[in-house]
Amino acid sequence: MALRSWQFNEGDIDFIEQYYPDLYRELEPTLSADRRSVAMKSDEQWDRIENLFVDEIALSADKNGELTENGLRIEAILDFA
Protein backbone atom coordinates (compact mmCIF):
# COMPACT_ATOMS: atom_id res chain seq x y z
CA MET A 1 0.00 0.00 0.00
CA ALA A 2 1.41 3.37 -1.03
CA LEU A 3 1.47 6.15 1.52
CA ARG A 4 -0.35 9.38 0.76
CA SER A 5 1.87 12.34 -0.11
CA TRP A 6 1.72 15.32 2.20
CA GLN A 7 0.30 18.43 0.53
CA PHE A 8 1.32 22.02 1.20
CA ASN A 9 -0.01 25.43 0.26
CA GLU A 10 2.07 27.82 -1.77
CA GLY A 11 4.73 29.38 0.44
CA ASP A 12 4.54 26.77 3.21
CA ILE A 13 7.81 25.08 2.25
CA ASP A 14 9.54 28.47 1.97
CA PHE A 15 8.35 29.27 5.51
CA ILE A 16 9.58 25.91 6.80
CA GLU A 17 12.93 26.33 5.04
CA GLN A 18 13.41 29.78 6.61
CA TYR A 19 12.28 29.07 10.19
CA TYR A 20 12.59 25.29 10.64
CA PRO A 21 15.72 24.15 8.75
CA ASP A 22 15.92 20.74 10.46
CA LEU A 23 12.37 19.96 9.38
CA TYR A 24 13.09 21.25 5.87
CA ARG A 25 16.09 18.92 5.56
CA GLU A 26 13.76 15.98 6.21
CA LEU A 27 11.20 17.17 3.66
CA GLU A 28 13.62 18.18 0.91
CA PRO A 29 14.69 14.74 -0.44
CA THR A 30 11.16 13.81 -1.58
CA LEU A 31 9.86 17.33 -2.21
CA SER A 32 8.11 17.85 -5.56
CA ALA A 33 9.53 20.32 -8.07
CA ASP A 34 6.64 22.74 -7.44
CA ARG A 35 7.28 22.56 -3.64
CA ARG A 36 3.65 21.63 -3.01
CA SER A 37 3.95 17.97 -1.95
CA VAL A 38 6.28 15.54 -0.23
CA ALA A 39 6.17 11.88 -1.19
CA MET A 40 6.18 9.59 1.82
CA LYS A 41 8.27 6.52 1.06
CA SER A 42 7.89 4.66 4.35
CA ASP A 43 6.04 4.60 7.65
CA GLU A 44 9.33 5.52 9.33
CA GLN A 45 9.69 8.65 7.19
CA TRP A 46 6.07 9.59 7.93
CA ASP A 47 6.60 9.16 11.69
CA ARG A 48 9.93 11.03 11.69
CA ILE A 49 8.47 14.04 9.85
CA GLU A 50 5.29 14.09 11.93
CA ASN A 51 7.39 13.97 15.12
CA LEU A 52 9.54 16.87 13.89
CA PHE A 53 6.42 18.95 13.22
CA VAL A 54 5.08 18.16 16.70
CA ASP A 55 8.44 18.99 18.31
CA GLU A 56 8.65 22.32 16.47
CA ILE A 57 5.10 23.21 17.50
CA ALA A 58 5.93 22.42 21.13
CA LEU A 59 9.07 24.57 20.96
CA SER A 60 7.10 27.47 19.45
CA ALA A 61 5.35 28.44 22.66
CA ASP A 62 6.04 31.63 24.56
CA LYS A 63 6.72 31.81 28.31
CA ASN A 64 2.96 31.62 28.97
CA GLY A 65 2.59 28.45 26.93
CA GLU A 66 0.79 30.18 24.07
CA LEU A 67 1.87 29.44 20.52
CA THR A 68 3.76 32.20 18.76
CA GLU A 69 2.74 33.39 15.31
CA ASN A 70 5.22 30.95 13.78
CA GLY A 71 3.93 28.19 16.03
CA LEU A 72 0.37 28.78 14.88
CA ARG A 73 1.46 28.71 11.24
CA ILE A 74 3.49 25.50 11.55
CA GLU A 75 0.52 23.91 13.35
CA ALA A 76 -1.80 24.98 10.49
CA ILE A 77 0.66 23.58 7.95
CA LEU A 78 0.67 20.22 9.71
CA ASP A 79 -3.13 20.20 9.93
CA PHE A 80 -3.37 20.79 6.17
CA ALA A 81 -0.62 18.37 5.15
Side-chain angles (χ1 to χ4, degrees):
M1 177 174 92
L3 294 172
R4 176 184 68 80
S5 294
W6 286 27
Q7 303 300 311
F8 298 92
N9 288 310
E10 187 174 333
D12 286 350
I13 296 295
D14 295 330
F15 172 80
I16 292 169
E17 184 177 19
Q18 181 177 359
Y19 293 103
Y20 302 97
D22 292 336
L23 177 56
Y24 176 77
R25 280 191 286 280
E26 288 293 323
L27 298 171
E28 195 271 330
T30 58
L31 183 61
S32 64
D34 67 358
R35 298 172 65 94
R36 298 290 302 267
S37 68
V38 171
M40 292 294 160
K41 303 293 186 184
S42 69
D43 289 334
E44 292 78 18
Q45 178 192 19
W46 183 291
D47 290 342
R48 187 173 54 254
I49 290 172
E50 185 175 48
N51 287 337
L52 280 170
F53 266 99
V54 171
D55 290 347
E56 294 295 3
I57 291 166
L59 293 171
S60 294
D62 63 19
K63 64 182 179 175
N64 297 317
E66 299 292 325
L67 285 179
T68 62
E69 185 176 326
N70 282 357
L72 290 170
R73 179 154 182 203
I74 198 75
E75 182 179 53
I77 290 169
L78 175 59
D79 288 346
F80 180 80

